[in-house]
């Protein structure tokens, strides 16, 4: 029995090491052997469980590796590239100039009640039309549909800024990747809501993440704090959650269910959603799902640690888990932490990445 790490995990030294550390934890959970990076054509003595570094595109390609359902990997498989992007969250403008392969307008209509006012676009003319339709709500946030960690996002406060930002997008890249235009919000709270299933082990959680400064002084992901419950979304929503959390979890579940119905060929064992709550620049409240993550993510170290703790403590229903990322040569792991990476990454310098699980009562 082996557990393979997909080669897509090797985006950087620290990411590859982190993904391998998480894969080792999942191997422990499954009672598999850890086999390192998967090598196509190599013969393995038992079933292979994959931990790819990104969502996999193309069901035939996944099937060729032996990935045929959510029980075969930590992450997800989508039929078309657009399904793994932010773009599916919002509709295209009427009579769009361009729509990507695999586009499903019905999905955007189904999730409209649980997302922010917004549009997706794959052509500059469509983006300008979409931005003008949104500016009456106030400033418009514009972001690459395949971007992550807030990279490449800009805000337009008027038509001239909107046109300049749209013009700055490479035409070919826009046609292939797309952009998202949404109402810009103030006084934000962003929740992370997710469900993970590995074999018969299932957890659901809500939490928040925070930012830090990397070795160059730039803003970077700093960690996530999760409140984890045994069972899936349904079990989580049966609990007496704080009202903002309940709203976020219900919106995430509706978005998740719409994806299952509109993209029936996709499958995922990790289903994570960023849900934002805030006010537009007129003071009107808004809340909605920003995007999905059907792949290993920044909080996955905490997810794996939580799965192991629940396995070892069958009577436990809740626990708190978090991931932390600390830059600098003087970073030291907190007491009781599981270290995922602690060293010098050639690209970003000295970095510590670790997870902690905090005991809770059995109620």
């Amino acid at each position: 029995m082996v557990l393979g790490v997909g080669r897509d995990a090797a985006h950087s030294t620290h990411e590859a090491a982190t993904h391998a550390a998480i894969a080792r934890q999942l191997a422990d959970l499954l009672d598999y052997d850890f086999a390192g990076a998967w090598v196509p054509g190599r013969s393995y003595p038992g079933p292979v469980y994959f931990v790819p570094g990104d969502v996999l595109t193309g069901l035939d390609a996944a099937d060729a590796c032996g990935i045929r359902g959510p029980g075969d990997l930590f992450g997800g498989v989508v039929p078309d590239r657009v399904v793994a992007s932010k773009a599916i969250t919002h509709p295209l403008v009427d009579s769009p100039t361009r729509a990507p392969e695999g586009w499903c307008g019905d999905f955007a209509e189904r999730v409209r009640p649980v997302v922010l006012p917004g549009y997706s676009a794959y052509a500059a003319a469509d983006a300008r039309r979409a931005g003008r339709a949104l500016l009456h709500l106030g400033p418009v946030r514009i972001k690459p549909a395949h971007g992550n960690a807030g990279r490449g996002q800009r805000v337009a406060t008027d038509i001239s800024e909107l046109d300049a930002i749209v013009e700055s997008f490479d035409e070919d890249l826009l046609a292939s990747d797309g952009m998202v235009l949404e109402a810009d919000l103030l006084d934000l709270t962003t929740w992370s809501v997710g469900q993970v299933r590995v074999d018969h082990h299932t957890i659901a959680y809500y939490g928040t993440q925070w930012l830090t400064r990397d070795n160059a002084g730039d803003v970077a992901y700093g960690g996530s704090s999760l409140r984890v419950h045994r069972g899936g979304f349904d079990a989580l929503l049966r609990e007496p959650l704080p009202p903002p959390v309940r709203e976020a979890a219900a919106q995430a579940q509706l978005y998740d269910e719409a994806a299952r119905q509109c993209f029936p060929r996709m499958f995922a064992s990790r289903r994570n959603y960023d849900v934002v709550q805030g006010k537009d620049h007129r003071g009107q409240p808004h809340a909605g799902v920003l995007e999905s993550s059907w792949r290993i993510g920044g909080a996955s170290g905490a997810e794996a640690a939580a799965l192991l703790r629940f396995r070892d403590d069958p009577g436990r229903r809740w626990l708190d888990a978090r991931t932390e990322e600390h830059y600098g040569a003087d970073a030291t792991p907190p007491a009781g932490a599981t270290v995922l990476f602690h060293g010098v990454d050639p690209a970003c310098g000295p970095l510590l990445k670790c997870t902690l699980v905090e005991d809770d009562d059995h109620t």
Side-chain angles (χ1 to χ4, degrees):
M1 299 256 197
V2 298
L3 186 148
V5 181
R7 290 181 297 171
D8 286 343
H11 297 310
S12 68
T13 298
H14 73 83
E15 285 188 357
T18 299
H19 293 180
I22 292 171
R24 289 181 185 276
Q25 291 178 301
L26 295 173
D28 182 6
L29 182 71
L30 292 166
D31 196 24
Y32 281 14
D33 295 326
F34 176 71
W38 178 69
V39 179
R42 175 184 291 178
S43 177
Y44 292 96
V48 180
Y49 185 85
F50 291 84
V51 185
D54 204 348
V55 65
L56 302 181
T57 302
L59 278 73
D60 290 342
D63 183 76
C65 300
I67 300 174
R68 301 180 178 91
D72 296 325
L73 83 167
F74 187 82
V77 178
V78 297
D80 300 284
R81 187 167 179 264
V82 65
V83 181
S85 77
K86 298 177 178 67
I88 61 169
T89 300
H90 297 294
L92 305 175
V93 294
D94 292 336
S95 303
T97 304
R98 184 180 292 109
E101 183 177 356
W103 180 259
C104 178
D106 185 50
F107 177 78
E109 289 302 316
R110 289 192 184 207
V111 301
R112 188 187 291 269
V114 296
V115 302
L116 303 183
Y119 291 93
S120 294
Y122 286 81
D126 297 345
R128 287 192 288 268
R129 288 171 56 199
R132 282 162 170 75
L134 290 170
L135 277 170
H136 75 279
L137 297 176
V140 177
R141 180 168 295 274
I142 303 170
K143 48 193 179 182
H146 284 272
N148 58 64
R151 297 184 182 94
Q153 297 189 15
R154 298 172 65 184
V155 176
T157 60
D158 55 34
I159 291 176
S160 62
E161 288 184 348
L162 168 71
D163 290 344
I165 294 172
V166 171
E167 184 67 24
S168 70
F169 274 70
D170 178 85
E171 184 177 351
D172 292 336
L173 197 60
L174 176 57
S176 64
D177 287 2
M179 74 165 65
V180 170
L181 303 94
E182 288 176 333
D184 185 55
L185 300 188
L186 304 172
D187 302 324
L188 297 179
T189 298
T190 302
W191 297 100
S192 179
V193 181
Q195 173 181 291
V196 178
R197 176 169 295 166
V198 179
D199 194 22
H200 64 281
H201 307 279
T202 304
I203 58 172
Y205 60 81
Y206 65 89
T208 57
Q209 60 180 247
W210 60 89
L211 301 175
T212 188
R213 295 283 179 178
D214 63 17
N215 292 303
D218 296 326
V219 174
Y221 173 77
S224 297
S225 179
L226 308 181
R227 180 74 170 149
V228 190
H229 188 269
R230 184 188 297 274
F233 281 139
D234 289 342
L236 179 65
L237 283 165
R238 286 195 294 268
E239 296 292 328
L241 305 173
V245 172
R246 177 167 297 281
E247 179 184 24
Q251 289 179 324
Q253 186 186 45
L254 190 151
Y255 190 103
D256 183 77
E257 184 57 34
R260 293 174 186 271
Q261 294 175 4
C262 294
F263 307 108
R265 298 173 65 220
M266 69 153 286
F267 53 86
S269 61
R270 182 186 192 257
R271 311 177 78 93
N272 173 276
Y273 303 95
D274 286 345
V275 186
V276 67
Q277 297 169 347
K279 298 179 181 179
D280 64 25
H281 289 244
R282 303 173 304 164
Q284 295 298 310
H286 293 276
V289 178
L290 294 175
E291 61 180 312
S292 64
S293 176
W294 299 320
R295 58 175 177 80
I296 193 169
S300 291
E303 295 164 355
L307 285 164
L308 286 169
R309 179 62 64 86
F310 279 126
R311 180 202 64 182
D312 295 339
D313 190 350
R316 184 176 298 279
R317 291 172 53 223
W318 285 101
L319 60 78
D320 295 315
R322 69 181 189 269
T323 60
E324 296 184 0
E325 301 197 6
H326 302 278
Y327 291 86
D330 59 346
T332 56
T338 297
V339 174
L340 303 177
F341 176 82
H342 193 188
V344 178
D345 183 280
C348 63
L351 173 63
L352 165 66
K353 303 174 73 169
C354 62
T355 64
L356 297 97
V357 174
E358 299 174 354
D359 288 334
D360 202 342
D361 56 41
H362 290 57
T363 60

